[in-house]
Amino acid sequence: MLLGADGLAIIHAKPAYPAMPHRSVSGPYHARMDSDTSPSTWLDIRAATVLRNGRRLLDNLTLAMDRGQHTAILGPNGSGKSTLVKLIERRVYPLAANPDGGPRPQVHLFGHARWHISELKHRIGVVSAALQDDVAADRITVFDAVASSFFASRGPGPDDHVTATQREHSLAVLAQLGIRHLADRVVATLSTGEARRVLIARALVHAPAALLLDEPCAGLDMASRRRFLIDLGRLAEAGTTLVMVTHHIEEILPQIQRVVMLHHGRMLADGTKAALMNDARLSTLFDTQVTVAASDGWYSAHLR
């Protein structure tokens, strides 16, 4: 077990306890495999365009990510970041044909184009302020928020019966994240930092191949944000692949070495932090004059 800031324990990507049983899905979808033999490239998007009301939220986007490749998706508001998250989660889909006459769009996750959403949620963990709001609105306990992840739901449904093994697993994850004592608390009564850790526990209960962090520090104060980021960094070091979606460069972890810049729905740049985190690139990305500073692997910026 790794200890993070303030003694917070960090769960390893491959927990010591066994994988838990979950609902099986029949039909023409890819079934989750106990022994993962899917390719190292877990995300493969090619020529994807997403429209809403005639506007291109994503415009002919091509992007691939490998396991273990910690990546920041960086861009201003309206750049397409949220749409990209929804595309990965299968909440939106690209046009079936390229409107510009190019190659046929495709989105492959773990080598497959078709997924049942509940199965995909076992492979990709999601942490976001929006998900936290949804879970809090349901007025469920911390334990139920975590255990319901086995059923790909936000809370326990009438047909969802948590087994003794699933209960033990959920409590073990909460304990390793240092929040076991909150199991019976209602999520809506927690601090923002505590609730965000509950979402991490909910995501990690399946030891996902990737953890998708959509503006994960929204609502955190300055001190809580730094502690939270340090603990995310320890998760990365323990083997969980992180994808951080943000418009704050100071949230990009030292462990993240790849940066993808989105601008008006298009790929502006894709490369290493060393190559992209500079005044010229960030000034173009944010359409304003920016000065960048770096210290111990962390970056900051201010307007000129």
Side-chain angles (χ1 to χ4, degrees), residues 67-197:
R67 298 179 193 231
Q69 186 179 55
H70 309 305
T71 303
I73 308 295
L74 182 66
N77 292 332
S79 62
K81 302 189 306 299
S82 295
T83 304
L84 176 58
V85 171
K86 292 175 182 177
L87 186 67
I88 296 172
E89 289 188 86
R90 283 296 203 263
R91 289 193 285 153
V92 301
Y93 291 84
L95 295 178
N98 193 316
D100 300 322
R104 186 175 184 274
Q106 70 174 40
V107 179
H108 282 184
L109 292 158
F110 306 102
H112 296 267
R114 303 186 70 191
W115 281 87
H116 192 288
I117 296 300
S118 63
E119 292 294 325
L120 186 59
K121 286 182 178 180
H122 293 155
R123 292 289 191 93
I124 302 174
V126 178
V127 175
S128 69
L131 177 58
Q132 179 180 323
D133 290 342
D134 289 343
V135 171
D138 290 337
R139 303 296 298 182
I140 60 177
T141 66
V142 167
F143 174 80
D144 284 342
V146 174
S148 62
S149 181
F150 287 108
F151 311 107
S153 61
R154 290 206 308 258
D159 298 323
D160 297 337
H161 303 289
V162 178
T163 67
T165 307
Q166 288 172 336
R167 177 178 177 81
E168 180 183 354
H169 191 167
S170 299
L171 293 175
V173 173
L174 288 171
Q176 288 190 313
L177 286 170
I179 52 174
R180 168 66 178 82
H181 63 289
L182 300 177
D184 295 327
R185 287 272 301 274
V186 174
V187 174
T189 68
L190 303 179
S191 71
T192 302
E194 289 171 335
R196 212 58 54 83
R197 287 182 171 89

